[in-house]
Amino acid sequence: MRISNRKRVMVTGGAGFLGSHLCERLINEGCDVLCVDNFYSGTKDNIAHLVSNPYFEMIRHDVTFPLYVEVDEIYNLACPASPIHYQRDPVQTTKTSVHGAINMLGLAKRVKAKILQASTSEVYGDPEIHPQTEDYWGHVNPIGIRACYDEGKRCAETLFFDYYRQHNVEIKVVRIFNTYGPRMHPNDGRVVSNFIVQALSGKDITIYGGGTQTRSFCYVDDLIDGFIKMMGSNEEVTGPINMGNPAEFTIKQLAEIIIEMSGSKSKLVFMPLPQDDPKQRQPDITYANQTLSWIPQVKLEQGLAKTIDYFRKFLLL
């Protein structure tokens, strides 16, 4: 017999950029939160402010191994998400997505928990349609240097829907587009953190390719709102569902905005484009809007101001 009425929620990858924001939000909503992380790309600094809370618990654990706990909901965010981190150990990256999905789905099946998979826009690869809708199957190089992440996440989605069909596990699959905000790793190679750190340090801003490739940037608070709404949706709403900000910018535009907002004198330097780097990336969020009444609220300049302020303080430490 349970004494507490608090919802027991597990977040894998809970010490990462997105995971730490999600843990904080769940604590604030009155949940009993179990944060699981092996600290491959996450850091204790991201969750240090939560450790003293009696309703927050941390376990150092790798999701490629089974975990036996009692929870009501699972957010499966475990997997390095930046190219620098996931290409450092590509075999482990694939294992984290595939074995991790099997282990977390097995747990969800055993305890009858709802489970949300943090999938990615990378399942679309270098897309041939624009913007990307959920019914697009993607254009992915299965043997390229990004495949460990792209195909790992695609296989995880397969496993989620097979567990749903075969074992009646209640699943939620969210495809995340570029997200940014405080607690991003300063050296993760992602474009927003790269540009901000370079601008604040007075270094040249490195743009790969001609800077004409596009991205859509979603502020972290908006994405976490989407996660919470998706987890709370009807059982029939499985996804996959796109979550991102549909406002589209070129990489060169982003660099120029960051230089202006940070007051930097950095110059733009152009380098060769990495293999399989997508030329366009923009979510069609019609389904999320219709199903969850979700639409991002934070404009790029608003979110960048908070992110620049975070990195300015971080670099002074």
Side-chain angles (χ1 to χ4, degrees):
M1 178 179 176
R2 288 180 59 180
I3 298 173
S4 174
N5 290 323
R6 286 178 178 264
K7 189 187 297 179
R8 302 169 300 184
V9 184
M10 183 171 81
V11 180
T12 71
F17 161 48
L18 294 181
S20 62
H21 282 278
L22 178 58
C23 286
E24 186 174 63
R25 173 70 175 271
L26 292 167
I27 287 285
N28 290 338
E29 294 203 347
C31 297
D32 193 334
V33 175
L34 174 61
C35 170
V36 177
D37 208 297
N38 68 349
F39 297 107
Y40 178 75
S41 58
T43 169
K44 288 182 179 179
D45 290 337
N46 288 340
I47 54 169
H49 63 297
L50 300 175
V51 171
S52 61
N53 191 300
Y55 298 105
F56 178 81
E57 183 181 358
M58 173 71 223
I59 294 180
R60 183 190 287 267
H61 181 81
D62 188 323
V63 296
T64 60
F65 298 93
L67 183 62
Y68 301 98
V69 292
E70 302 298 321
V71 292
D72 303 306
E73 294 177 352
I74 302 167
Y75 289 85
N76 187 38
L77 276 60
C79 190
S82 75
I84 284 178
H85 289 147
Y86 69 63
Q87 289 172 14
R88 185 184 303 155
D89 191 344
V91 172
Q92 184 63 26
T93 296
T94 304
K95 284 182 177 180
T96 300
S97 286
V98 178
H99 292 187
I102 291 170
N103 288 328
M104 293 306 108
L105 284 162
L107 173 60
K109 176 188 170 188
R110 180 179 71 81
V111 300
K112 296 180 171 51
K114 280 196 287 187
I115 180 168
L116 182 145
Q117 167 68 0
S119 191
T120 173
S121 60
E122 297 295 339
V123 300
Y124 299 123
D126 189 2
E128 296 170 308
I129 68 163
H130 190 74
Q132 292 80 58
T133 54
E134 289 88 353
D135 58 359
Y136 176 52
W137 289 357
H139 177 227
V140 176
N141 177 0
I143 59 171
I145 60 172
R146 299 170 70 102
C148 58
Y149 185 69
D150 301 3
E151 295 288 30
K153 289 288 191 177
R154 283 163 71 94
C155 185
E157 286 196 13
T158 300
L159 286 161
F160 266 68
F161 280 90
D162 283 337
Y163 266 79
Y164 167 69
R165 288 184 287 257
Q166 187 173 340
H167 299 299
N168 298 313
V169 173
E170 189 172 350
I171 65 165
K172 310 286 180 183
V173 177
V174 174
R175 289 176 177 165
I176 304 168
F177 284 68
N178 293 64
T179 304
Y180 70 100
R183 297 186 208 143
M184 292 184 80
H185 196 290
N187 301 313
D188 69 1
R190 284 188 270 197
V191 65
V192 172
S193 51
N194 260 15
F195 286 0
I196 291 176
V197 170
Q198 288 172 338
L200 292 176
S201 303
K203 298 177 181 176
D204 290 338
I205 288 187
T206 308
I207 294 179
Y208 294 95
T212 57
Q213 65 270 42
T214 67
R215 295 293 185 272
S216 305
F217 302 101
C218 183
Y219 189 65
V220 61
D221 289 355
D222 281 332
L223 184 73
I224 300 305
D225 285 343
F227 279 3
I228 300 294
K229 286 190 172 186
M230 185 61 170
M231 186 63 95
S233 63
N234 294 332
E235 189 175 340
E236 297 76 26
V237 181
T238 60
I241 193 164
N242 288 340
M243 283 192 180
N245 193 320
E248 188 179 17
F249 297 86
T250 69
I251 297 300
K252 187 169 181 286
Q253 281 178 309
L254 175 70
E256 290 168 346
I257 291 169
I258 288 173
I259 287 173
E260 181 180 352
M261 290 187 66
S262 62
S264 175
K265 292 183 169 55
S266 296
K267 301 289 189 291
L268 303 184
V269 174
F270 296 88
M271 305 285 284
L273 194 67
Q275 180 186 339
D276 301 327
D277 193 64
K279 299 174 189 67
Q280 290 181 304
R281 189 56 64 69
Q282 181 190 24
D284 184 317
I285 60 168
T286 303
Y287 182 46
N289 191 7
Q290 291 175 345
T291 309
L292 306 175
S293 298
W294 179 82
I295 190 164
Q297 302 297 314
V298 181
K299 303 285 190 235
L300 181 64
E301 287 79 3
Q302 292 174 289
L304 284 177
K306 295 179 181 179
T307 311
I308 290 169
D309 184 56
Y310 167 80
F311 277 109
R312 201 186 300 275
K313 292 172 183 172
F314 182 89
L315 293 172
L316 290 174
L317 294 177

